Amino acid sequence: MNLKELSAILKLSQTTVSRALNGYPEVSEATRERVNKAARDHNYIANTRARGLATGRTHAVGHVIPLSTKHEVVNPVFTDFIAGASEIYSQENYDMHLSIVPDTNEESAYRNFASKGSVDGVIVHGPVENDPRIKLLQDIGMPFVVHGRSNAELDQNYAWVDVNNKRAFERATQFLIDLGHERIALLNGLETMDFAMRRRHGYDSAMTAAGLPINPDFCLSDEMTEEYGFQATMALLKADQPPTAFLVSSIIVGIGVRRACNEMGLVLGKDVSLIIHDDELSYFRNGHAEPVYTATRSSVRFAGRTCAELLMEQISDPDCAHRHVLLEAELIIGNTTGPAPKS
């Protein structure tokens, strides 16, 4: 069915039907509901190209992903984020353009999006301190939302969705301290990235407040893989004074920690304690009826949906206020933490 046929069924002009389907404010709510119901009933799907010519929009969103292997979005977290964002894209009848580029070509990718008019907006992933992509997108006038934040000075100049990473890891560290742990290892993500930097600040803050020394040998930073968790834990457990607890930035790293403890004959929750960050990943569930790992939990899929919602706002009204969504992580108690061993 095309627009002309749908308009004939409704006995409305094609202009009115098109405006109702595209959310124009001058169309009454009653008419909009009637048109949308008829479109659903008759399986009408708008011609995206024709709609783009009429509205000046492409109805597409861009995601630029660097090719580097040492990048936090090249993992299942990104997949779940996209799954969440795609729920909103589908509702709004938007397509997604995924551009995989060499690290040195990120700026060109964003400029190409703008010059070709191939997308209406973009979501920025993996922000770093003083991220140059933010100023670039502001300069070229491209609507965008950042998943995360760049730094405190720029927080208010753009729309973002982030987890309160500092608070989450401060709370997790304090929980381990309350259990009597003093030698606590942090297996963090790449600390060039904002989320990992904030998590490190949370860990440092809790250790300092408790009057505990921060051992630099216990604070590691790398791409969040299972192998990283395994190799780092094996090395740390062989130290003269090994950690009695581990705080790690991903369930994926936590699986590596668990493997290392198994190889060393150590029982999690008894000999060694472990807290992970749980993104509620679709294929790495932290238990079903009850959590396996003690964790700071925040759904990355929900963050994807929220980023997409904010981006739709920016596209609909480029002059709208930049919204900031700070998600608080829950502290979930599982089977991997217990009192510090006495010896």
Side-chain angles (χ1 to χ4, degrees), residues 46-192:
N47 184 306
T48 304
R49 180 173 295 179
R51 183 170 62 176
L53 291 172
T55 64
R57 295 179 187 164
T58 64
H59 286 264
V61 170
H63 294 261
V64 177
I65 308 303
L67 198 57
S68 170
T69 56
K70 287 209 174 279
H71 200 289
E72 296 300 333
V73 299
V74 188
N75 61 37
V77 174
F78 179 66
T79 305
D80 262 40
F81 178 92
I82 290 297
S86 295
E87 293 176 20
I88 304 302
Y89 300 158
S90 178
Q91 290 174 19
E92 300 293 332
N93 201 21
Y94 262 71
D95 295 324
M96 183 182 73
H97 288 186
L98 186 61
S99 182
I100 309 295
V101 300
D103 290 18
T104 54
N105 285 4
E106 266 199 276
E107 180 177 335
S108 297
Y110 288 115
R111 290 191 182 278
N112 286 338
F113 275 156
S115 63
K116 294 177 181 178
S118 53
V119 301
D120 294 329
V122 296
I123 291 180
V124 176
H125 300 274
V128 298
E129 188 174 10
N130 297 314
D131 199 307
R133 294 173 294 178
I134 292 172
K135 186 176 187 308
L136 169 66
L137 290 165
Q138 289 170 333
D139 288 345
I140 64 180
M142 173 75 71
F144 70 97
V145 174
V146 177
H147 179 211
R149 287 174 284 173
S150 178
N151 59 28
E153 290 74 21
L154 296 175
D155 282 354
Q156 306 308 313
N157 297 334
Y158 57 90
W160 51 259
V161 178
D162 198 10
V163 178
N164 193 343
N165 287 295
K166 180 179 184 295
R167 175 61 185 143
F169 271 51
E170 187 174 42
R171 188 179 178 195
T173 306
Q174 185 60 56
F175 180 76
L176 291 170
I177 292 170
D178 290 343
L179 287 172
H181 295 278
E182 298 183 356
R183 300 194 305 275
I184 302 170
L186 173 66
L187 304 189
N188 206 358
L190 292 167
E191 289 183 358
T192 54

Side-chain angles (χ1 to χ4, degrees), residues 77 187 199 224 248-255 276-277 279 281:
V77 174
L187 304 189
R199 290 177 183 181
M224 297 192 297
V248 306
S249 273
S250 168
I251 190 172
I252 300 168
V253 180
I255 293 170
I276 65 161
H277 181 72
D279 289 289
L281 301 178

Side-chain angles (χ1 to χ4, degrees), residues 127-300:
V128 298
E129 188 174 10
N130 297 314
D131 199 307
R133 294 173 294 178
I134 292 172
K135 186 176 187 308
L136 169 66
L137 290 165
Q138 289 170 333
D139 288 345
I140 64 180
M142 173 75 71
F144 70 97
V145 174
V146 177
H147 179 211
R149 287 174 284 173
S150 178
N151 59 28
E153 290 74 21
L154 296 175
D155 282 354
Q156 306 308 313
N157 297 334
Y158 57 90
W160 51 259
V161 178
D162 198 10
V163 178
N164 193 343
N165 287 295
K166 180 179 184 295
R167 175 61 185 143
F169 271 51
E170 187 174 42
R171 188 179 178 195
T173 306
Q174 185 60 56
F175 180 76
L176 291 170
I177 292 170
D178 290 343
L179 287 172
H181 295 278
E182 298 183 356
R183 300 194 305 275
I184 302 170
L186 173 66
L187 304 189
N188 206 358
L190 292 167
E191 289 183 358
T192 54
M193 304 185 78
D194 185 83
F195 82 90
M197 180 180 66
R198 293 178 190 267
R199 290 177 183 181
R200 175 62 187 271
H201 291 336
Y203 168 87
D204 287 352
S205 176
M207 294 290 284
T208 300
L212 296 175
I214 297 171
N215 185 342
D217 294 336
F218 284 4
C219 298
L220 304 180
S221 167
D222 207 333
E223 187 182 2
M224 297 192 297
T225 65
E226 190 273 347
E227 185 66 15
Y228 160 48
F230 174 73
Q231 295 292 350
T233 304
M234 289 294 288
L236 288 169
L237 288 176
K238 292 175 182 177
D240 290 338
Q241 290 286 306
T244 62
F246 289 81
L247 173 59
V248 306
S249 273
S250 168
I251 190 172
I252 300 168
V253 180
I255 293 170
V257 175
R258 190 183 193 106
R259 177 160 68 101
C261 289
N262 286 342
E263 286 211 8
M264 299 289 285
L266 301 173
V267 178
L268 285 174
K270 179 181 177 182
D271 303 313
V272 178
S273 286
L274 169 64
I275 297 181
I276 65 161
H277 181 72
D278 177 16
D279 289 289
E280 291 192 288
L281 301 178
S282 299
Y283 291 96
F284 287 95
R285 288 291 183 187
N286 182 14
H288 292 282
E290 61 181 49
V292 174
Y293 297 92
T294 298
T296 56
R297 175 178 289 176
S298 180
S299 168
V300 71

